[in-house]
Amino acid sequence: MTSDNNKIYPSHLKIVSLISVLHISVGLLFWIWSISLWARGEYDSGIVLFLFPIATGLMGLRIVVYLCSYCQTTNNQNNQDDQEALTSTDQPSIISSDTKCCCCNFNNQQQQQTPSTKCWFILLLLTHLLTTAVYAYAGARGIQEFDKSQGYQLYCQIAAICWAVSGVIIVVLACRFRTKFEVCSSVGGGIGGR
């Protein structure tokens, strides 16, 4: 029997899904806004900047979809093995109650197909650092360099704080998932750096 450190539960995948959907939603909203500003003739760095949260979210969803399909296959196989164990013995056997988890014992082919959690984590960190830096710069220099109002400057300062605080929280959650994923996948031969 494997320990809890060797399992990825649906709650882990829900957190990654939530982080991913949040990044895609926020990224799309502000990217569309940036496009509308460009259409009116105003320069807005968000056209490039907000592609990062969208890419981060898509990469996170790719990881979730892969692990969900792997977990479904693993759990179906475990259920078949448990049923065979019940019918092959006369004595009652204890069926594992943790079949809703995913023990990621990847073989070599599965290791090569697994989306990179390292790339996702780096992109997540880069997204929050870049977005915070751009908003902080615009908030500090908005009136002088960009000929913007004090309202714009305040908006940028608040946005910089929001991106920084949410970045810390999300990166901590992502780090926990990535650590869990590395421990989990190293049980089956290791893909630690993936």
Side-chain angles (χ1 to χ4, degrees):
M1 176 162 274
T2 58
S3 72
D4 267 0
N5 287 336
N6 299 333
K7 297 175 183 171
I8 293 178
Y9 288 92
S11 61
H12 299 120
L13 299 179
K14 286 178 185 175
I15 290 170
V16 175
S17 296
L18 179 65
I19 290 170
S20 299
V21 169
L22 184 66
H23 278 82
I24 291 170
S25 302
V26 170
L28 273 175
L29 176 73
F30 285 100
W31 187 69
I32 291 169
W33 185 17
S34 295
I35 289 175
S36 71
L37 291 174
W38 267 83
R40 288 187 271 162
E42 294 182 44
Y43 169 76
D44 193 321
S45 61
I47 280 202
V48 175
L49 182 67
F50 290 113
L51 291 175
F52 282 91
I54 295 168
T56 300
L58 291 174
M59 187 176 282
L61 286 180
R62 182 173 175 246
I63 291 168
V64 169
V65 167
Y66 179 82
L67 288 177
C68 284
S69 66
Y70 177 80
C71 290
Q72 183 65 35
T73 304
T74 303
N75 287 334
N76 286 344
Q77 182 61 42
N78 288 344
N79 289 340
Q80 287 176 352
D81 293 346
D82 289 341
Q83 289 301 321
E84 289 172 11
L86 273 179
T87 57
S88 66
T89 62
D90 292 335
Q91 298 180 6
S93 66
I94 299 172
I95 298 176
S96 174
S97 62
D98 50 358
T99 56
K100 292 186 179 181
C101 71
C102 176
C103 301
C104 300
N105 298 320
F106 296 114
N107 62 35
N108 287 336
Q109 181 183 5
Q110 290 163 331
Q111 287 176 11
Q112 293 171 355
Q113 295 171 350
T114 306
S116 174
T117 58
K118 184 178 187 176
C119 286
W120 174 69
F121 183 77
I122 290 169
L123 188 57
L124 184 67
L125 186 60
L126 183 65
T127 294
H128 282 271
L129 287 174
L130 278 175
T131 309
T132 300
V134 167
Y135 271 121
Y137 180 78
R141 307 290 299 173
I143 295 174
Q144 296 88 4
E145 287 188 30
F146 306 117
D147 197 27
K148 298 286 185 170
S149 68
Q150 286 184 338
Y152 174 79
Q153 192 173 14
L154 181 63
Y155 154 74
C156 288
Q157 292 167 347
I158 291 171
I161 292 168
C162 290
W163 277 96
V165 170
S166 67
V168 169
I169 294 167
I170 288 172
V171 165
V172 167
L173 291 172
C175 190
R176 287 182 182 170
F177 169 77
R178 187 162 185 271
T179 303
K180 175 75 75 172
F181 182 79
E182 285 181 3
V183 168
C184 178
S185 52
S186 66
V187 171
I191 57 172
R194 288 194 61 82

